[in-house]
Structure formats: structure tokens, C-alpha cells
């Protein structure tokens, strides 16, 4: 099958690699060279897919423990991969390292050019896209993986739904004096959830959800950010220093109810952007990519797209809900709520069964 992919972010690249592996003819278009850098927690389902398509991830750290707690209260839940019967929960990597590892295998299919227009399949012709060079391409299937960053979705007549959280995420990297190998932290501070991921031996990525003003104030002053992080972080990590300038992004949930048209399918952030604090956006999107590539092996493109979406949609709905609930549940500094969640974590910590279920959902093993 001839397939054109618009967008060479992690999702477009991984989809390209998987489709080439299955024998399709792929062209991938993306004009950008400078990509943003973030820490990504890859679930086991994602690691299995990368393994299947021959992508080796040397970089990053295996995730073997996740400590969840409410700052200042005793209740906490510690998930150990070994207790849950798994060697690890997943692996944390820098997004650039992931993209480089995948691009190694697909560089010959990547063309550094933007796609300017897109048209769905009609009764008489294949879907078509026009490149900035003027070339028109008419493949059997167009995969739009533009991260929702271009006007192409709207030009197909697809309308995105938005749910703003009224929050921003400040994200960055820090070096700590006493790292705990393989341990990630999900911490509820009162001001909003803070996720801390071990990306290198003593370097952690952090994503902290805050009110937009608060996030912006901290972005403008590294000294204030360090102070705020020292107060919010678990003491066991010791002293900290920033190793990259922080970035602030507004938090919004964005999704398209039915992300396809004849001959065109949307994948990745362009089809759904979810709250990043649970670290599930890429993992969720790749579970959809796996469904799609499986269907495309045996079925014509439009039926494959419809069947793959129908199978994957329940997983998308659950993951979206779970990610946004974390924000809604934990963004208030209200004492009764804090006591209840702290108690809930203490109780959950005593239940290996519950901890295994929580961990398996995060690993993409059950949905
Ligand atoms: C702070 C943060 C932390 C996160 N942490 C995690 C995590 O731990 N685990 C996880 O699973 N997910 C996580 N996510 C989500 C994850 O980062 C995204 O799901 C993923 O990056 C989406 O990739 P994408 O390829 O869909 O889009 P993008 O990375 O946005 O790529 C889109 C590409 O399309 C190109 N493009 C746009 N328009 C055109 C055009 N007209 N022509 C050609 N090319 C075009 C762009 O240049 C870009 O390269 C996180 C997200 C955030 C914000």
C-alpha cells in the first residue's frame, strides 16, 4: 500500500517504521529540525512495539518503582515492579533520544518539506496532499500525525473538542544529589500534581501542573523555581540544581470524536491531546497505531481505519478520563480532600492486588 505520513514527531516516525516493516511504501513529510525535548515514560506496550520493529533504546532508565504521595501527609503508595510480577514498569527516555533511535531506521523515507493542503478520498480519486514544493501526492492512505499543529485537520472539516483545565505545566530537568535508581514520583502538592521521572543516573525530568500565573512566575526566575521545587520534592532526593531552562505549556485536553475521513486518518496528538501528568499520551497513541498497522495487513484502508478506531476507542476514553481526573482530583489544597486521598493511598499500599491493577493499567497491559 502507498502511505503518506504528515509529521515526523515520535508518533509519525514510529508509525512509519512499523508500516515499512510490514512492507508498505511510506513517504513521511516534516519540515522541522529543532524539536522540543521532554522526558517520556514509555509503557511496556510501547517498549514491546519498539522491540518488534527493531528499534533499540540505549538511552534512558528502566522504571522499577513509583512512589505516590501527598506532600506533608503520611499516607503513600509505593509500587514495586517486582512485587507486581514484572521486571520493570517501563522506561523513561528523552524524547529526542527516542526520535533519533527511530529515525535511524526511517531516515531514507523522511522528506523535510511541509504539507500545505490535504483532500480526502472521493468516489473517483485517492486522497491527495500538496507539498510546499508544489508536488501533489495521491497515496492509498494519508496518515495525519501533525500533533494538531497545522490547519490541515480543520481543512478536512474535522472539528476538535477542547476542555481547558485552566492550568499550565512547567517542565524541565534537574540534577539531584541522592538519586534513587529507577524510582519515579507522583506527588500531590496542593497546588497541582508534580511528576518526577528518572531520565539519567542523577537527572530527573519534572512536569508540574500549576495555575498559569504561578507557572509563569516560576519560569521567569530560576531561583524561585528551585526554592518552590525544594519545598515540593521528596526529601530523599537531596539537593537539586536545574540543568535546563524550564518551559511552560498551557494544559488543555483536545480530541476529535471520529478522527478520520475517507482515505485519511489522524493519529497522535492531532487526534487527542491528553493531560501529561499521568505520562500516557504517547503510549495511548501507539496502542492505536498498533491496532491500525494490524488491520492494514489484511484489510483495505478505509475499513482498516474504521475497525482499528472502534477497537481502540474504549482504551482512549478510559485513558483520557483517568488522566484528566488526576488533575481534577488533586489540584485543590483542601484539607479534607488531602486527608481522604492520603488515607486512600495508605489503604491501597496494603493491597498488592490493587497495586498490580494500577501498575498494569499504566503499563498498557490491561486497559
Ligand atoms: C510535558 C509533557 C510530558 C509528557 N510525558 C509523556 C509521557 O511520559 N509518556 C507519554 O506516553 N506521553 C507523554 N506526553 C505526551 C507525548 O509527548 C505526546 O503524545 C507526543 O509527543 C505526541 O507526538 P506526535 O508525534 O503526535 O506530535 P508532535 O510531537 O507534536 O509532532 C508533530 C510533528 O508534525 C509536524 N508537522 C506539523 N504540521 C505539519 C505539516 N503541515 N506538514 C508536515 N509536518 C507537519 C511538526 O513539525 C512535528 O514534528 C507528554 C506530553 C507533554 C506535553
Amino acid at each position: 500500500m502507498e502511505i503518506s505520513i504528515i509529521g515526523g514527531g515520535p508518533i509519525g516516525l514510529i508509525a512509519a517504521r512499523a508500516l515499512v516493516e510490514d512492507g508498505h511504501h511510506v513517504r513521511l513529510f516534516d519540515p522541522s529540525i529543532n524539536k522540543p525535548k521532554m522526558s517520556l515514560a514509555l509503557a511496556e506496550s510501547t517498549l514491546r512495539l519498539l522491540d518488534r520493529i527493531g528499534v533499540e533504546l540505549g538511552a534512558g532508565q528502566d522504571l522499577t518503582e513509583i512512589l505516590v504521595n501527598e506532600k506533608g501527609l503520611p499516607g503513600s503508595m509505593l509500587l514495586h515492579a517486582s512485587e507486581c510480577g514484572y521486571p520493570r514498569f517501563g522506561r523513561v527516555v528523552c524524547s529526542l533520544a527516542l526520535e533519533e533511535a527511530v529515525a535511524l531506521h526511517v531516515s531514507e523515507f523522511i522528506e523535510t518539506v511541509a504539507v500545505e493542503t490535504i483532500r480526502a478520498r472521493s468516489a473517483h480519486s485517492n486522497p491527495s496532499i500538496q507539498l510546499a514544493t508544489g508536488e501533489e501526492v495521491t497515496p492509498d492512505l494519508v496518515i495525519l500525525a501533525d500533533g494538531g499543529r497545522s490547519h490541515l485537520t480543520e481543512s478536512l472539516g474535522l472539528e476538535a473538542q477542547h476542555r481547558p483545565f485552566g492550568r499550565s505545566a512547567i517542565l524541565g530537568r534537574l540534577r539531584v544529589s541522592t538519586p534513587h535508581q529507577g524510582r519515579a514520583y507522583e506527588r500531590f502538592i496542593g497546588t497541582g500534581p508534580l511528576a518526577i521521572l528518572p531520565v539519567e543516573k542523577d537527572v530527573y525530568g519534572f512536569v508540574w501542573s500549576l495555575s498559569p500565573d504561578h507557572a509563569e512566575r516560576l519560569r521567569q526566575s530560576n531561583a524561585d523555581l528551585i526554592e518552590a521545587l525544594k519545598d515540593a520534592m521528596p526529601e530523599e532526593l537531596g539537593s537539586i540544581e536545574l540543568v535546563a531552562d524550564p518551559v511552560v505549556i498551557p494544559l488543555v485536553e483536545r480530541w476529535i470524536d471520529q478522527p478520520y475521513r475517507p482515505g485519511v486518518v489522524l493519529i497522535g496528538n492531532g487526534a487527542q491531546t491528553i493531560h501529561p501528568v499521568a505520562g500516557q499520551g504517547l503510549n495511548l497513541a501507539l496502542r492505536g497505531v498498533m491496532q491500525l498497522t494490524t488491520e492494514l495487513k489484511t484489510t483495505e484502508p478505509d475499513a482498516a481505519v474504521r475497525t482499528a478506531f472502534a477497537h481502540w476507542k474504549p482504551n482512549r476514553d478510559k485513558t483520557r478520563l483517568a488522566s484528566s481526573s488526576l488533575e481534577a482530583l488533586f489540584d485543590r489544597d483542601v484539607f479534607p480532600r488531602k486527608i481522604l486521598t492520603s488515607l486512600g493511598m495508605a489503604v491501597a499500599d496494603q493491597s498488592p492486588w490493587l497495586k498490580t491493577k494500577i501498575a498494569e493499567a499504566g503499563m498498557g497491559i490491561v486497559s
Side-chain angles (χ1 to χ4, degrees):
M1 199 178 289
E2 302 282 339
I3 299 179
S4 291
I5 301 181
I6 305 171
I11 302 297
L13 286 171
I14 293 170
R17 172 67 190 152
L19 290 164
V20 167
E21 187 75 4
D22 289 344
H24 299 288
H25 296 277
V26 173
R27 291 177 74 181
L28 185 152
F29 309 101
D30 192 328
S32 72
I33 298 161
N34 294 326
K35 301 287 185 71
K37 190 170 161 182
M38 61 177 95
S39 308
L40 294 172
L42 306 183
E44 273 303 313
S45 55
T46 296
L47 295 169
R48 277 200 304 265
L49 170 67
L50 293 175
D51 191 46
R52 177 165 72 71
I53 61 178
V55 173
E56 275 178 34
L57 270 185
Q61 292 265 306
D62 278 348
L63 202 53
T64 50
E65 292 179 358
I66 305 173
L67 180 60
V68 189
N69 60 17
E70 180 89 47
K71 182 186 164 243
L73 288 174
S76 66
M77 177 172 63
L78 180 59
L79 305 171
H80 286 279
S82 56
E83 250 179 43
C84 299
Y86 297 96
R88 62 181 177 182
F89 291 129
R91 191 169 175 86
V92 181
V93 288
C94 170
S95 55
L96 289 190
L98 170 65
E99 289 186 23
E100 275 166 24
V102 186
L104 268 183
H105 299 268
V106 286
S107 55
E108 66 202 275
F109 309 103
I110 301 177
E111 298 173 47
T112 48
V113 58
V115 174
E116 293 195 329
T117 62
I118 185 167
R119 234 186 22 238
R121 187 193 313 284
S122 71
H124 312 289
S125 59
N126 269 2
S128 75
I129 56 177
Q130 185 159 25
L131 311 184
T133 53
E135 184 189 352
E136 189 183 10
V137 186
T138 55
D140 301 300
L141 178 66
V142 176
I143 296 183
L144 183 53
D146 67 346
R149 295 167 189 266
S150 76
H151 62 284
L152 297 173
T153 300
E154 290 74 25
S155 75
L156 286 164
L158 291 169
E159 199 183 329
Q161 314 283 324
H162 291 91
R163 178 181 165 203
F165 293 105
R167 318 278 295 169
S168 289
I170 183 163
L171 46 135
R173 292 236 163 143
L174 32 90
R175 177 165 285 117
V176 308
S177 61
T178 49
H180 283 246
Q181 208 191 347
R183 179 179 285 192
Y185 302 82
E186 192 74 68
R187 215 153 141 78
F188 303 106
I189 312 294
T191 45
L194 167 67
I196 307 166
L197 298 171
V199 70
E200 287 166 27
K201 191 170 161 285
D202 56 354
V203 175
Y204 287 70
F206 68 88
V207 185
W208 191 1
S209 163
L210 293 167
S211 72
D213 287 353
H214 194 175
E216 192 48 38
R217 277 202 310 281
L218 295 183
R219 189 190 64 80
Q220 286 174 9
S221 162
N222 280 359
D224 288 353
L225 176 59
I226 288 275
E227 276 313 304
L229 280 168
K230 272 187 192 157
D231 189 46
M233 300 232 333
E235 279 173 18
E236 67 179 30
L237 289 173
S239 61
I240 56 172
E241 60 171 311
L242 285 177
V243 291
D245 282 336
V247 174
V248 169
I249 53 165
L251 289 178
V252 63
E253 191 184 355
R254 174 189 174 279
W255 72 97
I256 293 177
D257 284 333
Q258 193 173 285
Y260 52 84
R261 282 277 186 260
V264 181
V265 60
L266 278 59
I267 60 171
N269 269 20
Q272 67 287 312
T273 306
I274 63 173
H275 196 298
V277 80
Q280 288 300 323
L282 179 116
N283 295 312
L284 167 68
L286 288 180
R287 292 198 283 275
V289 167
M290 280 187 268
Q291 291 279 359
L292 181 62
T293 53
T294 303
E295 292 300 325
L296 285 171
K297 282 182 190 166
T298 54
T299 317
E300 57 87 17
D302 289 342
V305 164
R306 281 194 306 274
T307 310
F309 183 68
H311 282 138
W312 171 72
K313 185 174 178 299
N315 188 275
R316 174 171 98 155
D317 293 346
K318 275 188 209 158
T319 310
R320 271 184 39 211
L321 180 68
S323 296
S324 52
S325 304
L326 268 185
E327 177 69 60
L329 252 178
F330 293 105
D331 76 340
R332 300 278 173 270
D333 199 10
V334 186
F335 196 64
R337 195 279 296 149
K338 290 171 70 167
I339 287 284
L340 274 179
T341 48
S342 175
L343 262 175
M345 282 186 263
V347 171
D349 198 47
Q350 301 306 311
S351 166
W353 177 85
L354 187 57
K355 289 203 286 186
T356 304
K357 290 288 157 210
I358 294 170
E360 287 179 343
M363 288 188 289
I365 289 170
V366 293
S367 56

